[in-house]
Amino acid sequence: MTNFIHLPYGTQNPYDGEYKYERDPYIPIAGEKVILNYATDRGILGQRSWVELRIGDEKTRIIRSECRRNVPEGPLWYAKFQAPKAGTKVTYRFGFGRGFKTAEYSDWYEFTAKEWTSIEDKFKVTNEILSFKAEHSTKTKKERIKAIKALTDGKNYFDMTFIIQRKPGENFYGLGEHYDSLVLQNEDYFAFVYDQWKVQKKKGYAPVPFIFSDKGFGLFFDTGYVTKYTLSEDKLIVSVFSGDLPIQHLDLHYWEKDNPIELIKEMYKVSQPTLPPKWAFGPWLSANQWNSQKKMEEVLQKVTDLNLPSTVAVIEAWSDEQSFYIFNGAQYEPVDGDEALSLKDFIFNDPWPDPKKMVDDYEKRGIKMVLWQIPVLNSPENISKQHENDKKYVKDEKLIAFNKDGSPYQIPKGKWFEHSNVVDFFKDESKRWWQSKRKYLFDEIGIAGLKTDGGEHLWGRDTLVNDNESAAKTRNLYPEVYFQAAKELVGDDGLLFSRAGYSRSPKSTIFWVGDEDSNFEAMHDNFIAGLNVSISGNPFWGWDIAGFSGELPSKELYLTALWNSIFVPIFQLHSEDPQDPVPSAERTPWNMAEVYDDPGIINIYRRVVSLRMSLLPYIYKEASYSAQNGVPLTTPIFGMDNSSQLCYYFGRDMIVFPNLSEEKTDINIELPEGGWINLWTGKKVEGKEKLTYTMDKLPQVFVRENAAVEVSVDESTDLFSPRWGLEENGVIFFAPKERKSQFQNYRNGKVKLIGYIANSSSDDIIDINWEKI
């Protein structure tokens, strides 16, 4: 028997041409050519294939198919014809054999031809929101929007296109995570949640359909459908792709403001980022190869003996890799799929003989424990009884994604976690089931958060969630409901650390900007991605310092990345598992020191994380301000002549020029108006002046003159002295002591030390005169 392979709508993937079995275009337009691509799983000499086609009420006709080439699944065929007038229903099926009498046939497929029509009169304006409803007839017009069109079959509306005027010299920004540049180029960009393994460029795990300009114009498309943004010299074209599903409703936020910051604030009102706990802003420790309690005990011993302040440890390789809620090696009596295990049900063994003791030991040192998580049910060959029970239950109760034909959806072959089922977090029942299985980790073991990986797993228009909602509409929204369920589990005092995301994800989680190589180019790309995320509604991002993948970073890259990352919202070391314990892939300072036979690396790392801990009160205060007021913690400097060098505000009172080049380079910079003090030299410079600096090892950091920067210091008053506490007990006024009278009102019970800047120093940072109060 012949199997026919035909995916009329493909996988709805705008980046990938790997599927060659789709209808092209998948929404045929009246009068235009239609190509039907398909494969048969066998080819026999003398046999052929064809298409039986019915157009409206016409008689069935035969179209011969051409064999394009062989693919692993078998011969790849195609046939072409012209789409009929709009509103006409077309049905077709494929035949294969030597003749019609002995042929085998596929199932029937169908579509309705569409045509473009103007729909400006279908949008109603309420305040700054344009709302589409098919029954509207309002003749709405916005000056910048020159045309709005949609595909229609005469009854419903499908894909939409918005043609926007672009002013001369207008630069556009936003769209969430992309790695290519801050200023959007005259190219195509998609808001499509996508898992791109390294070298991401325009492909983002966490896109946002928010675009804005330096002329005070901004748009946010409040939809889960894939959107496309095409920039040219005089216009912006935005396309909304519905996957051949009728669009019933669409909200478009249309903003005209005085400057880009006001537009960003509007997006922050939508994303509503949640301030993470204070400890989230300290140094994080992580390595994928930490797969045992013994290794975690060694890590704790290292940071203690070497006095390397840390606040978070992440364990990725902890679970059974089936359920993702049971520690590897644990013994227990399986329960029904709707029941939850508790701590007393387990007998723990190697490699995790006593996870609660491990968590408690880390907690005593002030380090919170975060566990890796994925929103799937794996499909291993040797399935455990518990996992078998769980999978049966979620299938029977329909708590996972399903296919249109009623079978359980599985992640396609070749994708991450292929063949796994995906939890349907759009359903409250699914969310409660998933939370119940993991509750003991928090209530009884003391886990403080989850690294919620994944979220890019809904492939194909005929993948259904939430009682028959198509992935064409919900793929981008899936990370939001996944993180919402996880955030409810970890609680207000815990946190999530995620890679995927969309418009409202920051309400639940902080982010890292994806997996990248260990080289200077990747570091540059990561900083761009982080800033793009920041101006699109998410202020709290980090990256895998010095890179996640490939060979160990060079010593120069490692040290440069450390200094740069003091001035990034989240400070996290991480690395992949090389599948070989020798040499270690850890980006920990002790491993780097051993590899390069240089103990000085540990000393520099200690200075870096100590300065980070010293500045933590300032960082946390500015993070709080960011969440409350909608100003990114890392805000690019718009309107200044720094086009050749990445730069950003870090909070309201610091400006950072990260060192992103492998070579020592001279950079030309311009600071905003006012006085600024170089953090390393103490030298004062004036804004609006053209300045030249040599970038070598350290980033260039400037603090606003007269700023008050809250710090944590010990009796030594050395900002490079290791501190493990999170408390604020000092403040540095970036002004000489002679101006002391300006700061007499800065008094609170926490501050014990006040510092005033003195002369420049050769010790990596300004000299400070301290006095006790």
Side-chain angles (χ1 to χ4, degrees):
M1 180 171 179
T2 300
N3 289 317
F4 296 86
I5 305 170
H6 180 54
L7 302 174
Y9 298 97
T11 60
Q12 302 288 287
N13 183 350
Y15 299 128
D16 220 327
E18 64 190 281
Y19 288 92
K20 300 298 183 184
Y21 322 120
E22 67 272 20
R23 184 170 62 224
D24 183 21
Y26 64 82
I27 303 181
I29 299 172
E32 296 187 2
K33 181 173 65 175
V34 182
I35 300 176
L36 302 178
N37 297 291
Y38 65 101
T40 53
D41 67 348
R42 61 181 183 142
I44 300 175
L45 188 65
Q47 293 192 320
R48 58 194 179 92
S49 188
W50 59 90
V51 175
E52 289 190 358
L53 186 70
R54 297 175 185 169
I55 298 178
D57 297 328
E58 295 179 7
K59 184 179 178 182
T60 299
R61 58 189 172 107
I62 304 297
I63 302 175
R64 292 193 301 168
S65 296
E66 179 180 339
C67 185
R68 194 188 300 271
R69 65 178 184 275
N70 283 330
V71 294
E73 290 77 6
L76 182 65
W77 307 85
Y78 78 98
K80 54 188 177 181
F81 62 97
Q82 189 177 58
K85 67 180 181 178
T88 304
K89 182 179 179 180
V90 177
T91 58
Y92 61 91
R93 69 174 180 175
F94 307 112
F96 179 77
R98 283 193 169 87
F100 298 129
K101 292 183 179 179
T102 59
E104 297 177 281
Y105 291 93
S106 71
D107 294 332
W108 286 95
Y109 301 90
E110 66 180 46
F111 67 84
T112 302
K114 313 293 192 302
E115 65 181 353
W116 288 102
T117 186
S118 176
I119 58 168
E120 285 96 342
D121 62 343
K122 300 299 181 183
F123 282 83
K124 179 181 179 181
V125 177
T126 305
N127 297 323
E128 295 174 315
I129 299 178
L130 281 69
S131 296
F132 165 81
K133 285 188 178 179
E135 61 270 21
H136 282 161
S137 182
T138 58
K139 295 291 182 182
T140 294
K141 191 70 175 177
K142 283 286 188 179
E143 180 183 356
R144 284 284 201 118
I145 301 179
K146 298 306 178 183
I148 308 176
K149 299 180 180 180
L151 286 176
T152 182
D153 59 2
K155 297 178 181 178
N156 295 303
Y157 299 93
F158 302 85
D159 289 6
M160 295 183 179
T161 296
F162 299 76
I163 301 176
I164 315 293
Q165 178 190 11
R166 183 179 188 178
K167 293 183 178 180
E170 186 171 31
N171 292 314
F172 278 89
Y173 303 85
L175 298 183
E177 185 183 53
H178 53 97
Y179 299 67
D180 57 327
S181 63
L182 281 176
V183 178
L184 297 172
Q185 306 301 301
N186 288 351
E187 299 173 358
D188 293 340
Y189 290 83
F190 291 91
F192 179 73
V193 174
Y194 189 69
D195 175 10
Q196 172 65 34
W197 169 244
K198 303 193 293 190
V199 197
Q200 294 91 351
K201 298 303 180 183
K202 292 192 295 182
K203 303 172 184 177
Y205 303 91
V208 179
F210 165 59
I211 187 169
F212 67 95
S213 82
D214 55 5
K215 303 287 187 184
F217 173 66
L219 297 172
F220 167 58
F221 287 79
D222 197 358
T223 178
Y225 291 124
V226 174
T227 50
K228 175 185 175 184
Y229 305 80
T230 302
L231 283 159
S232 62
E233 291 299 321
D234 61 348
K235 60 180 172 288
L236 161 67
I237 299 176
V238 183
S239 304
V240 180
F241 299 111
S242 76
D244 206 14
L245 300 170
I247 297 178
Q248 305 294 341
H249 179 80
L250 177 72
D251 282 346
L252 166 60
H253 294 247
Y254 180 107
W255 295 304
E256 290 185 287
K257 301 293 179 181
D258 292 334
N259 55 63
I261 300 301
E262 295 303 313
L263 295 166
I264 293 170
K265 286 182 178 180
E266 292 297 328
M267 188 61 221
Y268 270 59
K269 291 176 184 177
V270 175
S271 65
Q272 299 181 41
T274 298
L275 179 68
K278 194 172 187 178
W279 47 264
F281 296 98
W284 292 42
L285 301 165
S286 180
N288 187 263
Q289 66 193 77
W290 293 346
N291 58 4
S292 71
Q293 186 167 336
K294 182 176 183 294
K295 289 184 180 180
M296 295 308 299
E297 289 169 348
E298 291 172 352
V299 170
L300 182 59
Q301 194 65 51
K302 282 284 189 183
V303 295
T304 300
D305 292 347
L306 297 172
N307 200 10
L308 305 176
S310 311
T311 61
V312 181
V314 181
I315 310 178
E316 291 200 340
W318 68 277
S319 80
D320 57 5
E321 295 293 323
Q322 295 187 25
S323 70
F324 301 105
Y325 66 82
I326 297 172
F327 275 89
N328 189 23
Q331 292 178 284
Y332 56 93
E333 286 296 324
V335 297
D336 291 341
D338 61 339
E339 295 182 55
L341 295 162
S342 63
L343 186 60
K344 63 178 175 56
D345 297 320
F346 294 105
I347 299 174
F348 294 105
N349 303 294
D350 280 337
W352 306 98
D354 194 346
K356 178 163 177 52
K357 179 182 182 301
M358 174 185 66
V359 172
D360 289 345
D361 288 344
Y362 268 79
E363 180 69 37
K364 291 173 185 175
R365 201 67 185 92
I367 303 175
K368 304 291 185 178
M369 191 69 74
V370 171
L371 298 181
W372 184 82
Q373 195 58 218
I374 192 81
V376 306
L377 288 90
N378 207 349
S379 297
E381 292 183 4
N382 299 315
I383 188 169
S384 70
K385 178 60 177 174
Q386 183 61 60
H387 194 47
E388 184 179 350
N389 292 350
D390 289 348
K391 292 191 72 169
K392 181 179 186 307
Y393 178 77
V394 296
K395 289 177 182 177
D396 291 346
E397 299 298 318
K398 297 190 179 299
L399 304 184
I400 54 176
F402 275 77
N403 296 312
K404 187 177 181 180
D405 64 7
S407 61
Y409 165 75
Q410 292 185 332
I411 297 172
K413 182 180 178 181
K415 302 299 182 183
W416 196 33
F417 281 98
E418 63 183 20
H419 308 312
S420 294
N421 301 121
V422 176
V423 180
D424 183 359
F425 287 107
F426 290 94
K427 291 184 174 181
D428 287 340
E429 305 94 315
S430 305
K431 180 174 67 175
R432 288 193 295 269
W433 173 85
W434 186 86
Q435 291 169 340
S436 71
K437 294 288 186 176
R438 291 153 179 80
K439 195 170 185 296
Y440 82 97
L441 295 170
F442 298 88
D443 293 353
E444 299 184 82
I445 293 182
I447 298 302
L450 294 175
K451 184 174 183 178
T452 34
D453 209 347
E456 315 95 343
H457 301 301
L458 295 182
W459 295 96
R461 184 252 197 192
D462 291 337
T463 299
L464 306 177
V465 293
N466 200 25
D467 296 327
N468 296 321
E469 281 196 306
S470 168
K473 183 178 181 181
T474 58
R475 176 190 174 87
N476 284 341
L477 302 175
Y478 183 81
E480 296 182 348
V481 293
Y482 166 34
F483 302 150
Q484 180 184 5
K487 181 59 177 174
E488 290 176 6
L489 176 64
V490 305
D492 292 340
D493 295 331
L495 65 71
L496 306 182
F497 191 45
S498 309
R499 184 180 67 177
Y502 200 54
S503 306
R504 291 175 173 82
S505 302
K507 190 173 183 179
S508 302
T509 186
I510 62 177
F511 286 82
W512 88 95
V513 293
D515 301 334
E516 259 295 2
D517 282 321
S518 291
N519 56 50
F520 276 86
E521 180 184 0
M523 177 168 64
H524 177 269
D525 290 354
N526 274 203
F527 270 73
I528 287 176
L531 293 175
N532 282 327
V533 163
S534 189
I535 61 178
S536 302
N538 174 30
F540 308 125
W541 62 275
W543 68 300
D544 298 331
I545 294 173
F548 162 80
S549 181
E551 295 182 356
L552 281 179
S554 67
K555 184 165 65 172
E556 292 72 20
L557 171 61
Y558 185 72
L559 298 179
T560 301
L562 287 175
W563 285 107
N564 283 337
S565 298
I566 297 172
F567 308 99
V568 165
I570 305 300
F571 185 104
Q572 185 226 197
L573 294 175
H574 186 50
S575 58
E576 68 178 338
D577 184 351
Q579 305 299 320
D580 185 346
V582 179
S584 170
E586 290 180 21
R587 271 59 168 169
T588 54
W590 54 87
N591 185 57
M592 295 293 293
E594 180 179 348
V595 170
Y596 290 107
D597 191 23
D598 184 359
I601 291 175
I602 296 175
N603 297 330
I604 295 174
Y605 179 86
R606 185 185 298 110
R607 290 175 65 80
V608 166
V609 293
S610 296
L611 181 57
R612 174 76 179 198
M613 292 296 285
S614 294
L615 293 175
L616 195 144
Y618 168 80
I619 296 170
Y620 186 69
K621 182 194 74 172
E622 293 303 308
S624 179
Y625 180 87
S626 176
Q628 292 173 10
N629 295 279
V631 179
L633 184 54
T634 49
T635 306
I637 301 178
F638 298 102
M640 305 296 289
D641 186 16
N642 294 310
S643 57
S644 62
Q645 175 65 33
L646 212 60
C647 61
Y648 55 89
Y649 282 96
F650 187 51
R652 287 166 289 174
D653 293 323
M654 290 187 185
I655 288 179
V656 179
F657 292 79
N659 183 11
L660 303 174
S661 175
E662 188 169 4
E663 305 295 330
K664 184 186 295 187
T665 57
D666 290 337
I667 62 168
N668 298 316
I669 68 175
E670 180 183 354
L671 294 165
E673 189 173 1
W676 295 89
I677 296 168
N678 189 296
L679 182 64
W680 313 124
T681 68
K683 181 180 179 181
K684 178 185 171 183
V685 297
E686 291 293 334
K688 299 294 185 179
E689 291 184 4
K690 304 292 184 180
L691 305 170
T692 300
Y693 282 86
T694 299
M695 296 293 273
D696 181 24
K697 298 179 183 177
L698 302 182
Q700 291 295 331
V701 182
F702 299 87
V703 183
R704 191 188 305 275
E705 185 180 25
N706 297 327
V709 174
E710 296 81 358
V711 292
S712 176
V713 292
D714 60 18
E715 290 298 319
S716 74
T717 65
D718 180 0
L719 296 178
F720 290 115
S721 177
R723 284 185 62 79
W724 290 76
L726 306 178
E727 70 279 3
E728 170 194 339
N729 59 3
V731 62
I732 303 172
F733 294 119
F734 279 76
K737 192 172 182 179
E738 300 86 79
R739 300 185 192 173
K740 181 176 180 179
S741 60
Q742 299 180 43
F743 309 116
Q744 290 305 305
N745 293 330
Y746 201 98
R747 291 287 188 272
N748 61 53
K750 297 178 292 185
V751 173
K752 307 299 182 185
L753 291 161
I754 293 181
Y756 305 91
I757 64 167
N759 299 317
S760 60
S761 168
S762 60
D763 193 29
D764 287 341
I765 202 164
I766 53 174
D767 280 341
I768 302 170
N769 289 328
W770 293 93
E771 64 178 39
K772 295 182 179 180
I773 60 170

